[in-house]
Amino acid sequence: MTTPTTDLSPAPAGRRSWLRDHSELGVCVLLLVLGVLVLTDALTMDVDLTQRGPVGPRTVPVVVGAGLLVVAALLAVDVLRGGRGQAEAGEDVDLSEPADWRTVLLLTGVFLGSAVLIEPLGFPVAGALLFWGAAFALGSRRFDRDPLIAAVVSLVAYTVFNNLLGVPLPGGPLMGVL
């Protein structure tokens, strides 16, 4: 007499279907991992008790990390109860069209180029090239206006970060002028 075996695991096609129906759980896992990383980093931070005020440097990261964990748990509960994200009605992306790899590659090249040029040319020049290149990659062909706007945006960003916020940025050849 043989005893019947009961296989409680779903079939591979059934498992794929369940995962497809609950794909938002991937976002929950991502939020959980980020929350754990933020909390771990915040709680292992070396803080001198004599240099901190009433609210120490750990406060904001602990709040953000705990918030990420709470959101991950609430989202997981909602997804497992059958909740689904709603598609945006105003989105004008045609999913049947292929990706615009030319734009992606142009933006990648502009970004990498500015990362390479920031040290020898400084942030104002490299930032202007980044902003102008991004505008060109995204379709703007106003060669009379775009370089001027890019230069102004780059100089304003440099001034705000370097002079007002105290975040030192490389000035390059313009260091003495700015």
Side-chain angles (χ1 to χ4, degrees):
M1 177 179 229
T2 60
T3 57
T5 58
T6 306
D7 187 15
L8 297 177
S9 63
R15 181 174 292 146
R16 268 190 236 131
S17 175
W18 187 87
L19 287 174
R20 187 172 291 127
D21 290 341
H22 296 87
S23 61
E24 290 95 347
L25 289 175
V27 176
C28 299
V29 171
L30 177 67
L31 291 173
L32 177 74
V33 168
L34 286 175
V36 168
L37 285 173
V38 169
L39 280 176
T40 302
D41 194 37
L43 295 177
T44 59
M45 187 184 301
D46 186 28
V47 178
D48 185 15
L49 295 177
T50 60
Q51 292 182 349
R52 67 179 179 94
V55 176
R58 290 183 182 162
T59 305
V60 171
V62 167
V63 169
V64 168
L68 285 169
L69 293 178
V70 168
V71 168
L74 291 174
L75 182 59
V77 168
D78 181 53
V79 169
L80 292 174
R81 287 184 176 173
R84 305 233 355 131
Q86 295 181 1
E88 292 187 33
E91 192 68 43
D92 63 352
V93 175
D94 187 4
L95 297 177
S96 64
E97 291 292 321
D100 185 8
W101 289 108
R102 179 183 176 274
T103 302
V104 172
L105 291 175
L106 280 172
L107 285 172
T108 302
V110 166
F111 179 75
L112 292 175
S114 67
V116 169
L117 295 174
I118 195 167
E119 197 60 40
L121 297 181
F123 181 84
V125 174
L129 291 174
L130 171 69
F131 297 134
W132 186 24
F136 179 83
L138 294 172
S140 178
R141 299 295 184 261
R142 297 286 307 263
F143 297 112
D144 57 335
R145 176 189 68 179
D146 291 345
L148 181 62
I149 293 173
V152 169
V153 168
S154 181
L155 287 173
V156 168
Y158 177 78
T159 304
V160 166
F161 278 92
N162 197 57
N163 299 342
L164 298 178
L165 296 176
V167 177
L169 295 173
L174 298 176
M175 184 64 90
V177 177
L178 299 175

